[in-house]
Amino acid sequence: MLVIKGLKARVEDKQILNGIDLTINPGEVHAIMGPNGSGKSTLAHVLSGRPGYEITGGSVTLDGKDLLALSPEDRARAGVFLAFQYPVEIPGVNNTYFLKAALNAVRKSKGEEELDAMDFLELVKAKLKPLKMDESMLQRAVNEGFSGGEKKKNEILQMAVLEPKLGILDETDSGLDIDALKVVADGVNALRGKNRSFLVVTHYQRLLDYIVPDQVHVLAGGKIIKTGGKELALELEEKGYGWLTGEKVNA
Amino acid sequence: MSTLTTQDLYLSSFSQLQAKLPGQDAAWLKTLRLQALEQFKQTGFPTDELESWKYTNLSLSLLKESFTFDAPASTTAVAAQLKKAGFDTEKAHLMVFVNGQFSKELSSLKTLAKGVAVQNIASALTNETVKAFVGKIALSENRAFTALNAAFFTDGLFIQLEAGKVLDAPVHVVYVSTNAGQATQSHLRNLLVLANDSKANVIEHYWGENVSAYFTNVVTEAALAKGSTLEHMKIGQEDIKGYHIGSLIAQQEEGSHFTARLFSVGGALTRNDIETTLGQKKAECVMEGLYLAKDKQHVDTRTFIDHLSPNCNSTEVFKGVIDDQAVGVFDGRILVRENAQKTDARQSNKNLLLTKEAKVYSKPQLQIYADDVKCSHGSSTGQIDDEALFYLQSRGISREEAKKVLVYAFAGEMVEKIESAYLKPALKKLVDGWMEVS
Amino acid sequence: MTAKPQEPSVEKVTTEEYKYGFVTDIEADSAPPGLNEDIIRFISHKKKEPKFLLDWRLKAYQQWLKMKTPEWAYVHYPPIDYQDVIYYSAPKAGPKSLAEVDPEVLKTFEKLGVPMEERAMLAGVAVDAVFDSVSVGTTFKKKLGEMGVIFCSFSEAVHEHPELIQQYLGSVVPYNDNFYAALNSAVFTDGSFCYIPKGVRCPMELSTYFRINAAKTGQFERTLLIADEDAYVSYLEGCTAPMRDENQLHAAVVELVALKGAEIKYSTVQNWYPGDKDGKGGIYNFVTKRGACRGDSSKISWTQVETGSAITWKYPSCILQGDNSVGEFYSVAVVNNMQQADTGTKMIHLGKNTKSTIVSKGISAGKGQNTYRGLVRIQPAAENAHNYTQCDSLLMGDKCGAHTVPYIEVKNNTAKVGHEASTSKIGEDQIFYCQQRGLSKEDAVNLIVNGFCKEVFRKLPMEFAVEAQKLLSVSLEGSVG
């Protein structure tokens, strides 16, 4: 489904991705791990089209469609969802309104009918429950004044509503206590299915106890230096990244 | 005396004084003085119709007095007084000016490294650097007091640092006014020139011991070359008969750091203009100040930060405590020009009013012509928090004492921000002392 | 406009045309251009005014001759030739009731979306419409009349309630208040008048639409609104003008009087023609609006959404005389292309326990210049006065400007006065976040800007809030591409 070939990217003068090759098939969960500065978050950003990165080589396709040629909103409409490491606050914009506008933009692009307020509310309320989110959150401004945990749950809620083909989780575990982590992981697991894939970017193995990956890739210096099964994560937890990168880096 | 005649008085004094002013052998200065006098002639003294003087009416104060140019020669125990005030003067270069004249006897300079000059400006008027900078940073155009100063200045401080030079100890400059039966005036011009990556720490300290009214008019010009650092502190301790008008104008090149601090407690009327131009990228400036006023004191502080270039930062915090029937004015302006992208500018002004008759005028302004900026300002004015007062009283502290604690909590922040071990104890004492008598 | 290198997508040429730019073709009965005592007499005579009013106008004119154009605002425009302006232009038909109103005019209102006749009924809005300089008709008069509410054109009030006019006219904005107010006092042609009697809560929103039509015509309307003790009224004002190459002058005066316990909500959506993208044409909007909270516990609330005009010079103010009185100012001001706005408020605290709130949201795009200018003055007698001011500016594009010029004067230590202001660029990270959820860049910008203005929109009556949001997106169209 997602095919990344020789992807290279830089920020200003700094080369960050040095040729990434990665294929994710439908229904698979892949984890990207790596030390700080290895390019994990950059990969997530580049896939979703965040401005500020220059693609210097390679290709990315989603179901054969050239992803890199699309605007960020068209990638989103094509089914790429990025759960932000730092979800952005938008003061004054009601959470429900935002989500409805997003969902209808996605539906419209697929030629589906837009949902009216009543139908939407029903839909979103149903998605709230498993995330243990309070309905009052819908009436608040997007992420404004949300705690770290609330922000991350809100990201998963959005993902549940938008039902993407590919969910990219960018350090979703950062800043979460164990209870919130479980709720978020349960939310993600509930969305796993044979037509939906995930790319889980994380520094720690902890999250992978709850979202069990099919494959684990280790990213260092902008390249995938090792690929393995879920047990690779455990090995990393134990040994750190140093044994792979040849440096003394502790996870 | 009306404004017009006061102005005339200055104009006519000039022809008499001209030949006695320092710099007779510096042609450039003679020209500068004449030009400045002409500029003063055109503008006259500012009235409250001018936006920059809206809240300070000179015709009711300064311009009612008339001051002689005859400065009485006088000595005073400066070093002992500084010690009493909490300054360990052995750790500083001490320079003293009495009634606008440099006093060699009272000054004590430590040994200076090569490439470092600290002297009185009257002895350096043929210096090429002095010629190059005086009147070029603080322009006399449309600024009556700067023009008057250019025409009449008798002396002042001159510091020049060559590239990479660091002034190890602070330069503490004391400007004393002392008179008997006659109202006196002094016009002082300071020049601080810092070459690339040099560093200086300068304290301008004004005080008076006077029988009659007096007027201090000072202009300080500072040039900060690439990577240089200037820490400037102005302590205003003029006595209650003093009128103080001062400007501190700086120009900053790439990556320079300028800190301008003001502690103003004295003077019947005090007006300070503090300005800097962030002329090249990555320059930084910090302006901080505390003004304390009581009785019928009038203290007016005007700041201007000109963000001319990209990636510059400025932080500004001014606090005022106004007691009795005193008046506090703060007029702070931040200008971010079209080219100054990635500017970060923050300004805050907070005032505490201690009595019903005290007044505050605050005018924080942002003028922004670039879009990729982060700018904010805040201003607040109020009285001591009643609940906090009650809380302290309920713990057995007297109301008067509790008030002092809370005022100090407010004003003390500005003392706490000071890192210099030389200044901190003395400034703490200054603020404490102000509260004791008020 | 050229694009910035680092964000090539920002700024494309605006393609949205001014939606309300059409010209109604009706015969106008105009005075020749120019201003002198004869013109003033002509206006006064045309309107069959009592002598006291003519005298007042002439006094104002004499004062105006001695006054200078204020130059302190951050707005720049070539000097106005006041002798080249037409000071009176009335539709010839001389309407007395809606039925007699020139159908062309009615059609204009229809195009404007003015809720008249059935539409008015449905919307429950009573409308007084000022077309050029003459008031064309007031709906719902009868229903309001039963409650004792007077809502009519200013001219009508001059004839039918001269005592109220004489008592209140100029009592809040004196004829010599400022240059434009003096000009208005001399030459104003019509406007709205409203009186809400004691204890009456006006059951519907009262509304006035102003429109400048004839070329070279200045519009000088005057609004006087009095809420008697414990009365309540919510008043809406909308403005549009056709597209013209020359600049047109608009200098209105609005006076509000709130007596003991009364509350006035005054909302404006100003959408005068802003000129084209090169700054050609557009309205010069020099307006004096002031309300007096005369009685104890009275309240005046100004809400404005300013998207139009080439130049806006406007400071709706509150004089908080009565103890416990409350003044509010909520403002959204948008400038795009070559527009300039210098707007804000004055809150003058005179009474005890008076409270004021100022919320100003400025949005600058294109080459627009936006200034918040405000005064908060706490006078010595105003014990326990409170003010809170919040000014936020949003910048879109690197050719525009946002300025904040507050004046804070505190002469009583029991006051609590706080001012906060911030200026920032529209958040790139916010735009990306929205895009990542599938919204287009344009929609993302609209969403963020509307969120930014939310606090102010919330203060508008429902149907106005919707219109304001639409106007905002139309005004900003093309500013971020």
Side-chain angles (χ1 to χ4, degrees), chain B residues 51 55 356 360 362 364 366 368 371 375 377-379 381 383, chain C residues 383 397 401-404 406-410 413 417 419 421 423:
Chain B
E51 190 63 29
Y55 298 114
K356 281 214 156 20
V360 157
S362 172
L366 298 174
I368 295 160
D371 68 326
C375 300
H377 69 196
S379 165
T381 300
Q383 61 179 342
Chain C
E383 292 285 310
H403 320 300
T404 314
Y407 293 75
I408 300 152
E409 306 181 2
V410 185
N413 68 318
V417 180
H419 170 101
T423 302

PDB file of all heavy atoms in Angstrom, chain B residues 51 55 356 360 362 364 366 368 371 375 377-379 381 383, chain C residues 383 397 401-404 406-410 413 417 419 421 423:
ATOM      1  N   GLU B  51       3.307  65.116  21.285  1.00  0.00           N
ATOM      2  CA  GLU B  51       2.941  63.779  21.767  1.00  0.00           C
ATOM      3  C   GLU B  51       3.961  63.249  22.787  1.00  0.00           C
ATOM      4  O   GLU B  51       3.605  62.642  23.779  1.00  0.00           O
ATOM      5  CB  GLU B  51       2.830  62.845  20.555  1.00  0.00           C
ATOM      6  CG  GLU B  51       2.225  61.490  20.841  1.00  0.00           C
ATOM      7  CD  GLU B  51       0.776  61.524  21.319  1.00  0.00           C
ATOM      8  OE1 GLU B  51       0.036  62.464  20.935  1.00  0.00           O
ATOM      9  OE2 GLU B  51       0.395  60.624  22.084  1.00  0.00           O
ATOM     10  N   TYR B  55       2.329  64.330  28.815  1.00  0.00           N
ATOM     11  CA  TYR B  55       1.998  64.243  30.238  1.00  0.00           C
ATOM     12  C   TYR B  55       3.006  64.959  31.142  1.00  0.00           C
ATOM     13  O   TYR B  55       2.981  64.783  32.339  1.00  0.00           O
ATOM     14  CB  TYR B  55       1.877  62.772  30.640  1.00  0.00           C
ATOM     15  CG  TYR B  55       0.772  62.039  29.923  1.00  0.00           C
ATOM     16  CD1 TYR B  55       1.027  61.012  29.023  1.00  0.00           C
ATOM     17  CD2 TYR B  55      -0.569  62.402  30.152  1.00  0.00           C
ATOM     18  CE1 TYR B  55      -0.008  60.347  28.373  1.00  0.00           C
ATOM     19  CE2 TYR B  55      -1.605  61.747  29.501  1.00  0.00           C
ATOM     20  CZ  TYR B  55      -1.318  60.729  28.610  1.00  0.00           C
ATOM     21  OH  TYR B  55      -2.336  60.062  27.971  1.00  0.00           O
ATOM     22  N   LYS B 356      -4.524  58.075  46.939  1.00  0.00           N
ATOM     23  CA  LYS B 356      -5.599  58.559  46.081  1.00  0.00           C
ATOM     24  C   LYS B 356      -5.133  59.624  45.101  1.00  0.00           C
ATOM     25  O   LYS B 356      -5.671  59.752  44.010  1.00  0.00           O
ATOM     26  CB  LYS B 356      -6.706  59.174  46.946  1.00  0.00           C
ATOM     27  CG  LYS B 356      -7.604  58.155  47.574  1.00  0.00           C
ATOM     28  CD  LYS B 356      -9.012  58.694  47.670  1.00  0.00           C
ATOM     29  CE  LYS B 356     -10.043  57.603  47.723  1.00  0.00           C
ATOM     30  NZ  LYS B 356      -9.601  56.292  48.113  1.00  0.00           N
ATOM     31  N   VAL B 360      -0.920  57.904  37.343  1.00  0.00           N
ATOM     32  CA  VAL B 360      -0.064  57.184  36.397  1.00  0.00           C
ATOM     33  C   VAL B 360      -0.592  57.343  34.982  1.00  0.00           C
ATOM     34  O   VAL B 360      -1.791  57.257  34.749  1.00  0.00           O
ATOM     35  CB  VAL B 360       0.008  55.679  36.760  1.00  0.00           C
ATOM     36  CG1 VAL B 360       0.382  54.852  35.550  1.00  0.00           C
ATOM     37  CG2 VAL B 360       1.031  55.450  37.861  1.00  0.00           C
ATOM     38  N   SER B 362       0.237  55.652  31.310  1.00  0.00           N
ATOM     39  CA  SER B 362       1.022  54.599  30.673  1.00  0.00           C
ATOM     40  C   SER B 362       0.634  54.497  29.209  1.00  0.00           C
ATOM     41  O   SER B 362      -0.535  54.484  28.874  1.00  0.00           O
ATOM     42  CB  SER B 362       0.755  53.269  31.388  1.00  0.00           C
ATOM     43  OG  SER B 362       1.360  52.215  30.680  1.00  0.00           O
ATOM     44  N   PRO B 364       2.005  52.150  26.356  1.00  0.00           N
ATOM     45  CA  PRO B 364       2.871  51.169  25.701  1.00  0.00           C
ATOM     46  C   PRO B 364       2.433  51.014  24.242  1.00  0.00           C
ATOM     47  O   PRO B 364       1.262  50.796  23.967  1.00  0.00           O
ATOM     48  CB  PRO B 364       2.582  49.890  26.473  1.00  0.00           C
ATOM     49  CG  PRO B 364       1.201  50.057  27.023  1.00  0.00           C
ATOM     50  CD  PRO B 364       0.876  51.524  27.061  1.00  0.00           C
ATOM     51  N   LEU B 366       2.993  49.441  20.208  1.00  0.00           N
ATOM     52  CA  LEU B 366       3.633  48.547  19.241  1.00  0.00           C
ATOM     53  C   LEU B 366       3.326  49.082  17.846  1.00  0.00           C
ATOM     54  O   LEU B 366       2.192  49.400  17.542  1.00  0.00           O
ATOM     55  CB  LEU B 366       3.053  47.139  19.343  1.00  0.00           C
ATOM     56  CG  LEU B 366       3.198  46.367  20.645  1.00  0.00           C
ATOM     57  CD1 LEU B 366       2.417  45.061  20.567  1.00  0.00           C
ATOM     58  CD2 LEU B 366       4.657  46.082  20.934  1.00  0.00           C
ATOM     59  N   ILE B 368       4.094  47.787  14.061  1.00  0.00           N
ATOM     60  CA  ILE B 368       4.694  46.612  13.441  1.00  0.00           C
ATOM     61  C   ILE B 368       4.436  46.536  11.944  1.00  0.00           C
ATOM     62  O   ILE B 368       3.291  46.561  11.504  1.00  0.00           O
ATOM     63  CB  ILE B 368       4.190  45.341  14.156  1.00  0.00           C
ATOM     64  CG1 ILE B 368       4.721  45.383  15.593  1.00  0.00           C
ATOM     65  CG2 ILE B 368       4.671  44.083  13.460  1.00  0.00           C
ATOM     66  CD1 ILE B 368       3.984  44.536  16.545  1.00  0.00           C
ATOM     67  N   ASP B 371       5.735  40.715   9.290  1.00  0.00           N
ATOM     68  CA  ASP B 371       4.705  39.769   9.749  1.00  0.00           C
ATOM     69  C   ASP B 371       5.234  38.605  10.577  1.00  0.00           C
ATOM     70  O   ASP B 371       4.561  38.125  11.465  1.00  0.00           O
ATOM     71  CB  ASP B 371       3.884  39.236   8.565  1.00  0.00           C
ATOM     72  CG  ASP B 371       4.708  38.346   7.648  1.00  0.00           C
ATOM     73  OD1 ASP B 371       5.910  38.619   7.507  1.00  0.00           O
ATOM     74  OD2 ASP B 371       4.156  37.405   7.071  1.00  0.00           O
ATOM     75  N   CYS B 375       5.382  39.788  19.059  1.00  0.00           N
ATOM     76  CA  CYS B 375       5.472  41.003  19.837  1.00  0.00           C
ATOM     77  C   CYS B 375       4.326  41.035  20.826  1.00  0.00           C
ATOM     78  O   CYS B 375       3.208  40.660  20.497  1.00  0.00           O
ATOM     79  CB  CYS B 375       5.357  42.233  18.948  1.00  0.00           C
ATOM     80  SG  CYS B 375       6.656  42.314  17.715  1.00  0.00           S
ATOM     81  N   HIS B 377       2.809  43.350  24.452  1.00  0.00           N
ATOM     82  CA  HIS B 377       3.042  44.277  25.545  1.00  0.00           C
ATOM     83  C   HIS B 377       1.901  44.186  26.536  1.00  0.00           C
ATOM     84  O   HIS B 377       0.812  43.742  26.224  1.00  0.00           O
ATOM     85  CB  HIS B 377       3.272  45.715  25.061  1.00  0.00           C
ATOM     86  CG  HIS B 377       2.076  46.374  24.481  1.00  0.00           C
ATOM     87  ND1 HIS B 377       2.146  47.503  23.722  1.00  0.00           N
ATOM     88  CD2 HIS B 377       0.769  46.078  24.560  1.00  0.00           C
ATOM     89  CE1 HIS B 377       0.943  47.862  23.357  1.00  0.00           C
ATOM     90  NE2 HIS B 377       0.087  47.028  23.840  1.00  0.00           N
ATOM     91  N   GLY B 378       2.206  44.569  27.752  1.00  0.00           N
ATOM     92  CA  GLY B 378       1.176  44.563  28.769  1.00  0.00           C
ATOM     93  C   GLY B 378       1.399  45.748  29.672  1.00  0.00           C
ATOM     94  O   GLY B 378       2.513  46.229  29.824  1.00  0.00           O
ATOM     95  N   SER B 379       0.299  46.236  30.239  1.00  0.00           N
ATOM     96  CA  SER B 379       0.417  47.333  31.181  1.00  0.00           C
ATOM     97  C   SER B 379      -0.621  47.109  32.251  1.00  0.00           C
ATOM     98  O   SER B 379      -1.753  46.727  31.960  1.00  0.00           O
ATOM     99  CB  SER B 379       0.154  48.657  30.461  1.00  0.00           C
ATOM    100  OG  SER B 379      -0.079  49.679  31.406  1.00  0.00           O
ATOM    101  N   THR B 381      -2.090  48.734  36.136  1.00  0.00           N
ATOM    102  CA  THR B 381      -1.992  49.742  37.171  1.00  0.00           C
ATOM    103  C   THR B 381      -3.014  49.420  38.246  1.00  0.00           C
ATOM    104  O   THR B 381      -4.155  49.098  37.935  1.00  0.00           O
ATOM    105  CB  THR B 381      -2.278  51.142  36.584  1.00  0.00           C
ATOM    106  OG1 THR B 381      -1.317  51.405  35.577  1.00  0.00           O
ATOM    107  CG2 THR B 381      -2.180  52.219  37.660  1.00  0.00           C
ATOM    108  N   GLN B 383      -3.560  49.152  42.953  1.00  0.00           N
ATOM    109  CA  GLN B 383      -3.028  49.439  44.275  1.00  0.00           C
ATOM    110  C   GLN B 383      -2.595  48.138  44.937  1.00  0.00           C
ATOM    111  O   GLN B 383      -2.712  47.070  44.355  1.00  0.00           O
ATOM    112  CB  GLN B 383      -4.074  50.156  45.121  1.00  0.00           C
ATOM    113  CG  GLN B 383      -5.335  49.326  45.332  1.00  0.00           C
ATOM    114  CD  GLN B 383      -6.354  50.028  46.185  1.00  0.00           C
ATOM    115  OE1 GLN B 383      -6.037  50.969  46.897  1.00  0.00           O
ATOM    116  NE2 GLN B 383      -7.592  49.596  46.120  1.00  0.00           N
TER     117      GLN B 383
ATOM    118  N   GLU C 383     -14.005  55.799  42.097  1.00  0.00           N
ATOM    119  CA  GLU C 383     -13.536  54.795  43.052  1.00  0.00           C
ATOM    120  C   GLU C 383     -13.771  53.387  42.491  1.00  0.00           C
ATOM    121  O   GLU C 383     -14.812  53.126  41.880  1.00  0.00           O
ATOM    122  CB  GLU C 383     -14.334  54.900  44.352  1.00  0.00           C
ATOM    123  CG  GLU C 383     -14.081  56.162  45.159  1.00  0.00           C
ATOM    124  CD  GLU C 383     -12.743  56.106  45.872  1.00  0.00           C
ATOM    125  OE1 GLU C 383     -12.488  55.088  46.531  1.00  0.00           O
ATOM    126  OE2 GLU C 383     -11.977  57.078  45.750  1.00  0.00           O
ATOM    127  N   GLY C 397       0.928  38.102   5.607  1.00  0.00           N
ATOM    128  CA  GLY C 397       1.741  38.674   4.530  1.00  0.00           C
ATOM    129  C   GLY C 397       2.705  39.699   5.095  1.00  0.00           C
ATOM    130  O   GLY C 397       2.485  40.235   6.178  1.00  0.00           O
ATOM    131  N   GLY C 401       0.753  46.072   8.146  1.00  0.00           N
ATOM    132  CA  GLY C 401       1.216  46.551   9.437  1.00  0.00           C
ATOM    133  C   GLY C 401       0.137  46.449  10.500  1.00  0.00           C
ATOM    134  O   GLY C 401      -1.050  46.500  10.199  1.00  0.00           O
ATOM    135  N   ALA C 402       0.564  46.285  11.750  1.00  0.00           N
ATOM    136  CA  ALA C 402      -0.371  46.246  12.878  1.00  0.00           C
ATOM    137  C   ALA C 402       0.211  47.073  14.008  1.00  0.00           C
ATOM    138  O   ALA C 402       1.362  46.867  14.385  1.00  0.00           O
ATOM    139  CB  ALA C 402      -0.577  44.813  13.337  1.00  0.00           C
ATOM    140  N   HIS C 403      -0.562  47.999  14.508  1.00  0.00           N
ATOM    141  CA  HIS C 403      -0.038  48.932  15.499  1.00  0.00           C
ATOM    142  C   HIS C 403      -0.984  49.030  16.686  1.00  0.00           C
ATOM    143  O   HIS C 403      -2.193  48.951  16.529  1.00  0.00           O
ATOM    144  CB  HIS C 403       0.153  50.301  14.858  1.00  0.00           C
ATOM    145  CG  HIS C 403       0.700  50.212  13.458  1.00  0.00           C
ATOM    146  ND1 HIS C 403       1.920  49.622  13.207  1.00  0.00           N
ATOM    147  CD2 HIS C 403       0.181  50.550  12.255  1.00  0.00           C
ATOM    148  CE1 HIS C 403       2.140  49.625  11.899  1.00  0.00           C
ATOM    149  NE2 HIS C 403       1.096  50.173  11.292  1.00  0.00           N
ATOM    150  N   THR C 404      -0.420  49.212  17.840  1.00  0.00           N
ATOM    151  CA  THR C 404      -1.226  49.298  19.054  1.00  0.00           C
ATOM    152  C   THR C 404      -0.814  50.540  19.825  1.00  0.00           C
ATOM    153  O   THR C 404       0.351  50.676  20.184  1.00  0.00           O
ATOM    154  CB  THR C 404      -1.000  48.050  19.935  1.00  0.00           C
ATOM    155  OG1 THR C 404      -1.058  46.897  19.101  1.00  0.00           O
ATOM    156  CG2 THR C 404      -2.048  47.947  21.005  1.00  0.00           C
ATOM    157  N   PRO C 406      -2.185  52.345  22.973  1.00  0.00           N
ATOM    158  CA  PRO C 406      -3.098  52.595  24.074  1.00  0.00           C
ATOM    159  C   PRO C 406      -2.638  53.762  24.952  1.00  0.00           C
ATOM    160  O   PRO C 406      -1.433  53.969  25.114  1.00  0.00           O
ATOM    161  CB  PRO C 406      -3.031  51.293  24.868  1.00  0.00           C
ATOM    162  CG  PRO C 406      -1.660  50.770  24.615  1.00  0.00           C
ATOM    163  CD  PRO C 406      -1.192  51.314  23.289  1.00  0.00           C
ATOM    164  N   TYR C 407      -3.565  54.513  25.456  1.00  0.00           N
ATOM    165  CA  TYR C 407      -3.264  55.556  26.438  1.00  0.00           C
ATOM    166  C   TYR C 407      -3.975  55.151  27.727  1.00  0.00           C
ATOM    167  O   TYR C 407      -5.174  54.965  27.721  1.00  0.00           O
ATOM    168  CB  TYR C 407      -3.806  56.914  26.000  1.00  0.00           C
ATOM    169  CG  TYR C 407      -3.143  57.493  24.775  1.00  0.00           C
ATOM    170  CD1 TYR C 407      -3.427  56.998  23.514  1.00  0.00           C
ATOM    171  CD2 TYR C 407      -2.250  58.557  24.889  1.00  0.00           C
ATOM    172  CE1 TYR C 407      -2.830  57.536  22.390  1.00  0.00           C
ATOM    173  CE2 TYR C 407      -1.647  59.105  23.763  1.00  0.00           C
ATOM    174  CZ  TYR C 407      -1.934  58.595  22.520  1.00  0.00           C
ATOM    175  OH  TYR C 407      -1.347  59.123  21.400  1.00  0.00           O
ATOM    176  N   ILE C 408      -3.210  55.024  28.793  1.00  0.00           N
ATOM    177  CA  ILE C 408      -3.800  54.601  30.062  1.00  0.00           C
ATOM    178  C   ILE C 408      -3.538  55.701  31.083  1.00  0.00           C
ATOM    179  O   ILE C 408      -2.387  56.029  31.353  1.00  0.00           O
ATOM    180  CB  ILE C 408      -3.185  53.261  30.518  1.00  0.00           C
ATOM    181  CG1 ILE C 408      -3.452  52.195  29.449  1.00  0.00           C
ATOM    182  CG2 ILE C 408      -3.746  52.832  31.865  1.00  0.00           C
ATOM    183  CD1 ILE C 408      -2.416  51.104  29.397  1.00  0.00           C
ATOM    184  N   GLU C 409      -4.586  56.290  31.601  1.00  0.00           N
ATOM    185  CA  GLU C 409      -4.432  57.402  32.546  1.00  0.00           C
ATOM    186  C   GLU C 409      -5.187  57.062  33.825  1.00  0.00           C
ATOM    187  O   GLU C 409      -6.409  56.968  33.817  1.00  0.00           O
ATOM    188  CB  GLU C 409      -4.988  58.691  31.932  1.00  0.00           C
ATOM    189  CG  GLU C 409      -4.375  59.008  30.576  1.00  0.00           C
ATOM    190  CD  GLU C 409      -4.902  60.310  29.973  1.00  0.00           C
ATOM    191  OE1 GLU C 409      -5.717  61.004  30.624  1.00  0.00           O
ATOM    192  OE2 GLU C 409      -4.499  60.620  28.846  1.00  0.00           O
ATOM    193  N   VAL C 410      -4.459  56.874  34.887  1.00  0.00           N
ATOM    194  CA  VAL C 410      -5.089  56.448  36.129  1.00  0.00           C
ATOM    195  C   VAL C 410      -4.882  57.506  37.201  1.00  0.00           C
ATOM    196  O   VAL C 410      -3.748  57.815  37.562  1.00  0.00           O
ATOM    197  CB  VAL C 410      -4.521  55.094  36.609  1.00  0.00           C
ATOM    198  CG1 VAL C 410      -5.268  54.613  37.835  1.00  0.00           C
ATOM    199  CG2 VAL C 410      -4.606  54.066  35.494  1.00  0.00           C
ATOM    200  N   ASN C 413      -6.179  55.504  42.947  1.00  0.00           N
ATOM    201  CA  ASN C 413      -5.414  54.285  43.227  1.00  0.00           C
ATOM    202  C   ASN C 413      -6.285  53.064  43.452  1.00  0.00           C
ATOM    203  O   ASN C 413      -5.791  51.953  43.464  1.00  0.00           O
ATOM    204  CB  ASN C 413      -4.484  54.485  44.424  1.00  0.00           C
ATOM    205  CG  ASN C 413      -5.253  54.651  45.709  1.00  0.00           C
ATOM    206  OD1 ASN C 413      -6.272  55.351  45.743  1.00  0.00           O
ATOM    207  ND2 ASN C 413      -4.807  54.012  46.760  1.00  0.00           N
ATOM    208  N   VAL C 417      -6.447  48.537  36.386  1.00  0.00           N
ATOM    209  CA  VAL C 417      -6.430  48.702  34.943  1.00  0.00           C
ATOM    210  C   VAL C 417      -5.405  47.757  34.338  1.00  0.00           C
ATOM    211  O   VAL C 417      -4.253  47.734  34.756  1.00  0.00           O
ATOM    212  CB  VAL C 417      -6.059  50.164  34.571  1.00  0.00           C
ATOM    213  CG1 VAL C 417      -6.046  50.349  33.065  1.00  0.00           C
ATOM    214  CG2 VAL C 417      -7.047  51.132  35.202  1.00  0.00           C
ATOM    215  N   HIS C 419      -3.882  46.061  30.639  1.00  0.00           N
ATOM    216  CA  HIS C 419      -3.859  46.081  29.181  1.00  0.00           C
ATOM    217  C   HIS C 419      -2.921  44.991  28.699  1.00  0.00           C
ATOM    218  O   HIS C 419      -1.811  44.883  29.196  1.00  0.00           O
ATOM    219  CB  HIS C 419      -3.372  47.452  28.700  1.00  0.00           C
ATOM    220  CG  HIS C 419      -3.084  47.511  27.225  1.00  0.00           C
ATOM    221  ND1 HIS C 419      -3.962  48.073  26.336  1.00  0.00           N
ATOM    222  CD2 HIS C 419      -2.034  47.066  26.504  1.00  0.00           C
ATOM    223  CE1 HIS C 419      -3.445  47.966  25.110  1.00  0.00           C
ATOM    224  NE2 HIS C 419      -2.282  47.366  25.186  1.00  0.00           N
ATOM    225  N   ALA C 421      -1.551  43.099  25.006  1.00  0.00           N
ATOM    226  CA  ALA C 421      -1.625  43.094  23.550  1.00  0.00           C
ATOM    227  C   ALA C 421      -0.610  42.128  22.991  1.00  0.00           C
ATOM    228  O   ALA C 421       0.463  41.940  23.553  1.00  0.00           O
ATOM    229  CB  ALA C 421      -1.357  44.488  23.003  1.00  0.00           C
ATOM    230  N   THR C 423       0.957  40.572  19.050  1.00  0.00           N
ATOM    231  CA  THR C 423       0.937  40.616  17.594  1.00  0.00           C
ATOM    232  C   THR C 423       1.656  39.391  17.087  1.00  0.00           C
ATOM    233  O   THR C 423       2.751  39.078  17.560  1.00  0.00           O
ATOM    234  CB  THR C 423       1.681  41.864  17.094  1.00  0.00           C
ATOM    235  OG1 THR C 423       1.053  43.003  17.656  1.00  0.00           O
ATOM    236  CG2 THR C 423       1.619  41.964  15.581  1.00  0.00           C
TER     237      THR C 423
END
